[in-house]
Amino acid sequence: MTPDIFDVTIIGGGPVGLYGLFYAGLRGMKAKLIDALPELGGQLITLYPEKYIYDVAGFPKILARDLAKNLISQALSYNPKIHLGERVISLEQEQNEDRLYYRLLTEAGNEHITSTVVLTAGIGAFRPRKLPIPELDRFEGNGVHYFVNKKELFSGKKVLIVGGGDSAVDWAINLLDTASKITLIHRRDKFRAHEKNVAQLMNSPVDVRTYHELKKVIANEKIVGSVIYDNRTLEEKALEVDAIILNLGFQADLGPLKTWGLDIDRTGVKVNYRMETNLPGIFAAGDIASHPGKLKLISTGFGEVATAINFAKNYVDPDSKVFPGHSSDLSSR
Ligand code: FAD
């Protein structure tokens, strides 16, 4: 089956990509967004969900998590297509009669065809940080989890959570009404999570063990236990567990994007005043875009992506104006 041809495909669902998705809808474009993670929000959600941001216009202060929530709600205004958990690995040009298209292939094996691309890939595709313990790979998705999409998966289970950041602490508290027992191990005694949540964790039935790390996973056809150790004394302890959640942070990697024929310098993908790259119809905005005077900030990223989308609109439909008019002149939606 031939995949649908989209006017614009946005690669990256961070703050800049999300605002671009809204803007593409505003311009009446058939728009799609793809992100490698199962969740939208980019750095706001993966790196600092509980931090306040003070320099987003119109918000004296806003939690990164809440800004992501608002951006997602705005991005969904025009019912765009969103593909999560798909890392784009290749981009190929295709000439079809007198039109140029791009064919994007994702790690999940899906193809996406599009007239233009807006790259808002930030500092690269995020992947959860992993531990070099072989059984973890074998049981990924079936007892070993890096994200919690469905709480029911942990119903009645003895869960081991590894990590000391917001996600580890949040999930330990959140799964108390679902799991039969929760142990949280963290290699230090200081948590990188919101103070209020750490206090709640410490006063909860969660078995918290600081200075502990995961050594081994014990499994037959499924996970039945684990061995943890005290990193000060190296003393080992066996724990009965049925599920392991690893919240060890994320690594970002530009990876295959570097091989797509884009002109890249030390700070990112080079763009001109239209936010267009050296490849026709491929635009870039946000942290990934490089131009003289570049500032890697959310507020400048919003402006860049509005420019990118307006020029992408004009690229797809040369009769359309680049200037979008004022949104306040639209009849209310
Ligand atoms: P990102 O947020 O990085 O999102 C990019 C997305 O693209 C990711 O979700 C990634 O998974 C996806 N992606 C990448 N490659 C692929 C691929 N090949 N296929 C599919 N998906 C892909 N800025 C401010 O303005 N004010 C602040 O106060 C502020 N505080 C910060 C605090 C911290 C701790 C950090 C780390 C940053 C802070 N920033 C702040 C910077 C700000 O978060 C970034 O400028 C912003 O997130 C950039 O947005 P983006 O959408 O360009 O990229």
Side-chain angles (χ1 to χ4, degrees), residues 112-169:
H112 303 271
I113 306 212
T114 185
S115 300
T116 65
V117 172
V118 175
L119 264 177
T120 50
I123 47 177
F126 282 113
R127 288 169 187 276
R129 236 180 257 281
K130 302 199 170 177
L131 291 176
I133 298 175
E135 297 292 33
L136 291 176
D137 281 350
R138 198 175 134 215
F139 289 98
E140 189 167 331
N142 181 25
V144 173
H145 304 268
Y146 294 90
F147 301 94
V148 179
N149 296 326
K150 289 194 193 120
K151 274 177 77 169
E152 311 89 79
L153 273 182
F154 304 93
S155 180
K157 299 228 161 124
K158 295 186 261 320
V159 180
L160 173 66
I161 299 181
V162 186
D166 287 302
S167 301
V169 172

Side-chain angles (χ1 to χ4, degrees), residues 10-18 34-37 39-48 51-56 83 86-89 106 119-127 252-254 256-257 260 285-289 294-301:
I10 297 175
I11 303 179
V16 177
L18 285 169
I34 307 172
D35 200 292
L37 288 176
E39 206 179 348
L40 291 165
Q43 293 177 49
L44 300 181
I45 288 296
T46 48
L47 301 184
Y48 59 106
K51 285 183 105 164
Y52 278 107
I53 304 174
Y54 299 91
D55 58 349
V56 176
H83 291 256
E86 287 194 40
R87 182 175 184 237
V88 180
I89 49 173
T106 71
L119 264 177
T120 50
I123 47 177
F126 282 113
R127 288 169 187 276
D253 174 21
L254 281 182
L257 202 142
W260 296 353
D287 277 12
I288 192 143
K294 171 75 188 179
L295 298 174
K296 295 196 178 188
L297 288 170
I298 296 165
S299 53
T300 48

Side-chain angles (χ1 to χ4, degrees), residues 55-115:
D55 58 349
V56 176
F59 293 97
K61 82 175 198 183
I62 184 162
L63 269 184
R65 187 193 291 289
D66 292 339
L67 179 62
K69 208 164 122 200
N70 290 352
L71 284 163
I72 292 166
S73 152
Q74 190 180 30
L76 297 179
S77 302
Y78 297 94
N79 300 317
K81 267 255 179 258
I82 295 183
H83 291 256
L84 293 177
E86 287 194 40
R87 182 175 184 237
V88 180
I89 49 173
S90 77
L91 172 140
E92 281 163 24
Q93 267 184 13
E94 201 166 289
Q95 189 76 37
N96 197 331
E97 292 170 9
D98 58 341
R99 288 193 67 176
L100 184 69
Y101 296 105
Y102 287 94
R103 186 181 290 273
L104 308 175
L105 187 69
T106 71
E107 220 165 32
N110 295 335
E111 265 188 2
H112 303 271
I113 306 212
T114 185
S115 300

